[in-house]
Amino acid sequence: MRRTLSVLKIFIFIVLALSLVFLYLQGRVAVVQEEHYLLGTYFRIKAQSRSHDQAQRAVHEALAEAKRLSEEFSRIGAGSLGALNRYGASESVRLSDDVFTVLEAAERYRELSGGAFDHTIGKIVDLWGFTQDWDRAGVGRIPSADELQPLVEEPRQISLDTTAKTARLSSPNIEVDLGGIAKGYIVDRVVEILKKHELDSALVDAGGNIRVFNDRPRKVLWFEDRRPFRIGVQHPRDESKILGVLEIWGDHALATSGDYQRCFFADALKNIFPCRYADEPDKIRYHHIIDPKTGQPARGLISTTILAPTAMEADALSTAVFVLGEQKGLALIESLPNVEGILVTDNGRIVVSSGLKDINFPTELP
Amino acid sequence: MRELLRTVSRYLTWGDYLVIALVLLGTAATIPLLHQTAEASGRWAIVRLDGQIVHQLSLAQDYEVTVTGPAGETVIQVQNGRVRVLRSPGAQEICMRQGWIHKPGQVLICLPNHVTIEIPGDSGVDAISR
């Protein structure tokens, strides 16, 4: 009796010890995080997998693709978009598959938003000094009505040939700038690559333009360690604060457009002061989200955050909704499936779309 | 309950008690260890240039470090367990005006010079949509 008991005890101890080791191995995940400077901003990938090598390979491949794409979408560079901007008014220009896809999508969003999203106003944006290398130049200017008027009134049409993958611009005054949508597209392509490698979960953050997926929750025995990604939404008037946190399950993208991202201030004498989050007393803020109908910075909203299935959609819609303003912007959000938004108005109200009524956000800027 | 304890204790020898005690002690010993590594992560700052780690700064001493990026020199100051950017090229001077950081998860970003300074640790959010 005593003998069988001690054998049983030893057996139980071994089983206990083995299950502890098993639990430990099950719960272990490799996290690989890499950050690069791309598209004029930081580009961060954080990938989780059961295998470190697998995560590393996935992140490397994804970053290489992001680098390649970021060169394709330079509007002045050697890629096909640069060529379109240089010769597109006089001849049809053959575009790369990626540029064509995004240009087609941009045309769709222009139509969908009634012209609030407009990728053809590169020349107007340039007049304000918000050039591609803004972070280095960093000084804006206020263009005169005489400078703006002809560019604003000019009809800006792009004819696309889907079979030949060519595009032609209706006027030399068009400068195609896919900056408001290409970043999202690149994030989506990166996510595609990460998913191909069957990672458990990943976060891609291109300067605040974010997409996450949580395909396979970590499993410890029968427990699923289901943890959402927690994404903060930037406070538009205080750099060190966030408005609140969104808990994201599954596969979603987020993008924010704000008047604090690229801006400058001007006083009554038109002296220019550098951009910052907080308002400057007695000075007017001029920012980079230009209303294509007026050629002036869009007024009414100071920040729009869009939650959408893809980063490209979130990217384009955050700009479109910012320009449309509270009423029309919300209506656009509500008309689209699986799209939600958080808008901050210039008098400090925080408005959320119907699908986000349950989130714990303040109703006014704290 | 008392009955159960008495039944169990009848089948356990002093050796079993020893093993149980050792396991409990071992588990207890790892708890402060885990705690310590979490604490220690807040006493470092990671400086990246173009995403590559160029410095791991201990926040235990006071000193200055210069990083040379594509736009010029970024001067980083460590003092009293905090980090800030003293000088960095760029018209907006955003990373200088952010001031001191000291909490895990805080980040200074000097975009024009491709320099980021991060105090590693859990800030409670995975990313910020900005």
Side-chain angles (χ1 to χ4, degrees), chain B residues 6-128:
Chain B
R6 201 173 294 157
T7 330
V8 170
S9 65
R10 200 184 303 154
Y11 293 114
L12 290 177
T13 65
W14 64 271
D16 296 329
Y17 286 121
L18 186 71
V19 170
I20 290 167
L22 280 177
V23 168
L24 284 180
L25 267 175
T27 313
T30 55
I31 290 169
L33 207 75
L34 284 173
H35 198 68
Q36 210 175 31
T37 45
E39 279 255 296
S41 64
R43 283 192 248 121
W44 294 87
I46 295 174
V47 182
R48 288 193 181 85
L49 175 62
D50 275 317
Q52 305 295 319
I53 295 176
V54 288
H55 287 293
Q56 302 237 31
L57 307 178
S58 162
L59 303 187
Q61 296 150 334
D62 295 351
Y63 53 98
E64 284 174 21
V65 166
T66 303
V67 178
T68 307
E73 288 189 340
T74 297
V75 183
I76 301 157
Q77 186 187 20
V78 180
Q79 199 179 66
N80 300 327
R82 305 175 301 169
V83 198
R84 72 167 168 181
V85 175
L86 270 185
R87 283 191 303 281
S88 190
Q92 299 193 56
E93 304 189 338
I94 287 172
C95 64
M96 275 120 89
R97 278 185 281 120
Q98 273 179 272
W100 295 100
I101 61 168
H102 67 280
K103 280 185 281 193
Q106 283 185 312
V107 190
L108 294 168
I109 301 170
C110 304
L111 264 192
N113 214 18
H114 302 191
V115 173
T116 62
I117 301 148
E118 180 196 353
I119 300 184
D122 195 1
S123 61
V125 296
D126 296 299
I128 295 175

Side-chain angles (χ1 to χ4, degrees), chain A residues 18 23 26 66 77 110 113 161 167 252 261 269 301 323 327 329 363:
Chain A
L18 280 180
L23 269 176
Q26 273 282 307
R110 174 152 71 154
S113 66
D161 184 332
H252 284 286
Q261 292 163 337
L269 298 168
L301 295 175
V323 172
Q327 251 87 50
T363 53

Side-chain angles (χ1 to χ4, degrees), chain A residues 5 9 35 37 134 230 232 256, chain B residues 11 16 51 92 114 124 126 129:
Chain A
L5 253 180
K9 260 189 304 199
E35 197 182 295
Y37 184 85
W134 163 259
R230 292 169 54 81
T256 297
Chain B
Y11 293 114
D16 296 329
Q92 299 193 56
H114 302 191
D126 296 299
S129 183

Side-chain angles (χ1 to χ4, degrees), chain A residues 206-241:
Chain A
N209 206 316
I210 297 160
R211 183 159 165 192
V212 298
F213 68 88
N214 221 327
D215 277 358
R216 291 184 300 182
R218 194 161 65 136
K219 239 187 200 163
V220 181
L221 296 181
W222 53 89
F223 291 110
E224 278 192 355
D225 179 15
R226 281 193 149 278
R227 199 187 76 94
F229 278 102
R230 292 169 54 81
I231 312 293
V233 176
Q234 177 66 45
H235 188 302
R237 289 293 174 262
D238 186 341
E239 177 155 29
S240 64
K241 283 192 192 145

